[in-house]
Amino acid sequence: MEMKLWVSLIVVSAITTTALGDFGGALVKGFYKESCPLAEEIVKHNVEVAVLKDPRMAASLLRLQFHDCFVLGCDASVLLDTHGDILSEKQATPNVNSLRGFEVIDYIKYLLEEACPLTVSCSDIITMAARDSVFLRGGPWWEVYLGRRDSLKASFAGANQYIPAPNTSLEGLIINFKQQGLAIQDLIALSGAHTIGKARCVSFKQRINQPNMLQTFYVDEFKRHSTFRRILRSQCKDSSRDNELSPLDIQTPAYFDNHYYINLLKGRGLLISDNVLVSEDHEGEVFRKVWEYAVDQELFFADFVESMLKMGNINVLTGIEGEIRENCRFVNL
C-alpha cells in the first residue's frame, strides 16, 4: 500500500509543473492559505476518519463531485435540500437512495465554520474531499485549485437530464461529456473512478439479461464473461434484491488502481455504461485508450488527474458570484 501511494505521488509530481496550470481559470492553488490556513488539513483529516469508518465512503465522496459538476457546474448545488422554491437534486432519479456522503460534508463544513466563519465554500469542500478520497484508496494525489463559491439554486431537472444513466450508450456518454466541455479522453479517464465503489442490482439488471454479444477483445473460450454474468445473476435474483450491492471492480474493489480497465477487456465491467467503452467503439479510439490504461497505471493516474482538474472547473462561480454558504444544505438567509 505504501509503495502504491509513493508511486502515485511520483506520477502526479510530474504533472504539477505543466498540465495543472491549464485548468485553474479563476481558481488558484492555496486559495485559503491566509484566510483559513488549516482548511485542507481539516478536510483531509475528516475524510480519512470517514473512510476508516466506512471504506465505501471514498467512492461516495468522489461520486459526489461528478454529480455536482455535471449539473449547473461545480457549485455545490447537489448539497441543497428542498426548501422554499428549491427542489433538491438529491431527489432526482440518478441521486435518490443512491448518492451518499452528505453528512460527512456537513460535519467538515461545521468544523470549518468554527475555524473560519463564512470563508470556505461547500463546493471547494467537495473538491478537496474527492481528491483526498482517491489518495486514501491508493490513487494519485494532486494539488486542487480552489476559490469556488456556492450556488443560490439547484436543478432537479438538470440532475435528471445531465447525469448519465448506468445503461447509457457510448454515443450517449460522448454527447453527455461534450455538453460539459469534456473530451472523449476525459470520458475514458474519468470512467476509471469505477475502480472503487459499489452499485445496486437495479443499476446493472440490464447488464445481466442483455443478449450475448461480443464484449471482449478476445474469443471467450473459457466462458469468463458468461461466468461473471452468472455470478451477478445469483446476487440479483429478483426485484427483492434491487438494493443489494456489488463492487464496480471485482478484482481490487478497495483500491484505486487500473484494474477497472483490465476488467473491461475481460468483459467484466459491472455496468452497461462501463462495457460500452469496448463493445461499442467502432473506430477503435476508445478501445486503444482502455488498453493503454490497462497496461500502464501511471498513465491512467496522470490522465485521471488532468481530467479531474478539467471537470472541477466546469461553470464555477467565483469573485462576487453566488455565496459562501453557512450551511451546505441551505442558501443563506
Side-chain angles (χ1 to χ4, degrees), residues 87-320:
L87 180 57
S88 178
E89 294 170 19
K90 298 174 184 177
Q91 302 306 311
T93 301
N95 298 335
V96 67
N97 298 322
S98 174
L99 209 57
R100 305 167 71 239
F102 301 112
E103 293 79 9
V104 175
I105 301 297
D106 286 341
Y107 185 63
I108 292 172
K109 178 60 171 173
Y110 165 77
L111 295 175
L112 287 169
E113 285 300 304
E114 289 284 303
C116 321
L118 292 175
T119 301
V120 182
S121 68
C122 301
S123 47
D124 275 346
I125 294 173
I126 292 174
T127 301
M128 290 183 275
R131 182 270 311 273
D132 295 335
S133 295
V134 169
F135 183 65
L136 286 167
R137 293 288 88 191
W141 185 92
W142 63 97
E143 196 164 1
V144 290
Y145 286 84
L146 302 170
R148 297 167 188 78
R149 288 169 65 85
D150 301 322
S151 69
L152 301 173
K153 61 183 180 179
S155 179
F156 174 84
N160 280 319
Q161 180 178 354
Y162 294 115
I163 297 172
N167 61 348
T168 304
S169 67
L170 179 59
E171 182 181 6
L173 289 172
I174 291 171
I175 292 171
N176 181 275
F177 273 64
K178 187 176 181 181
Q179 288 173 327
Q180 307 298 336
L182 300 173
I184 292 176
Q185 177 163 314
D186 299 313
L187 162 62
I188 306 165
L190 292 174
S191 293
H194 284 178
T195 185
I196 55 175
K198 297 180 179 181
R200 296 181 298 162
C201 284
V202 70
S203 299
F204 56 87
K205 266 187 173 180
Q206 287 178 275
R207 166 88 169 102
I208 297 171
N209 299 317
Q210 67 185 166
N212 285 316
M213 60 182 75
L214 183 62
Q215 297 243 354
T216 64
F217 75 100
Y218 59 83
V219 176
D220 190 17
E221 60 181 306
F222 297 109
K223 306 299 181 186
R224 295 184 181 95
H225 182 211
S226 55
T227 300
F228 177 62
R229 280 167 59 182
R230 278 200 303 274
I231 293 170
L232 297 181
R233 193 175 292 118
S234 69
Q235 291 178 322
C236 309
K237 292 179 180 178
D238 52 53
S239 58
S240 68
R241 297 193 177 188
D242 278 355
N243 289 320
E244 291 290 317
L245 298 171
S246 185
L248 289 160
D249 175 355
I250 197 170
Q251 292 298 115
T252 55
Y255 295 104
F256 193 98
D257 56 25
N258 66 335
H259 273 85
Y260 167 80
Y261 300 100
I262 297 171
N263 292 337
L264 291 186
L265 295 176
K266 294 179 178 179
R268 290 185 175 184
L270 185 64
L271 307 178
I272 289 178
S273 56
D274 291 326
N275 281 280
V276 296
L277 296 181
V278 293
S279 67
E280 295 184 7
D281 177 31
H282 305 302
E283 302 299 323
E285 175 188 357
V286 177
F287 176 83
R288 282 192 297 274
K289 184 58 69 173
V290 168
W291 178 269
E292 288 176 12
Y293 290 162
V295 299
D296 190 342
Q297 180 168 281
E298 292 188 16
L299 175 64
F300 162 51
F301 281 2
D303 286 357
F304 181 80
V305 168
E306 194 166 336
S307 293
M308 284 293 288
L309 288 165
K310 190 173 178 181
M311 183 187 74
N313 205 38
I314 296 174
N315 295 332
V316 295
L317 303 174
T318 58
I320 60 171

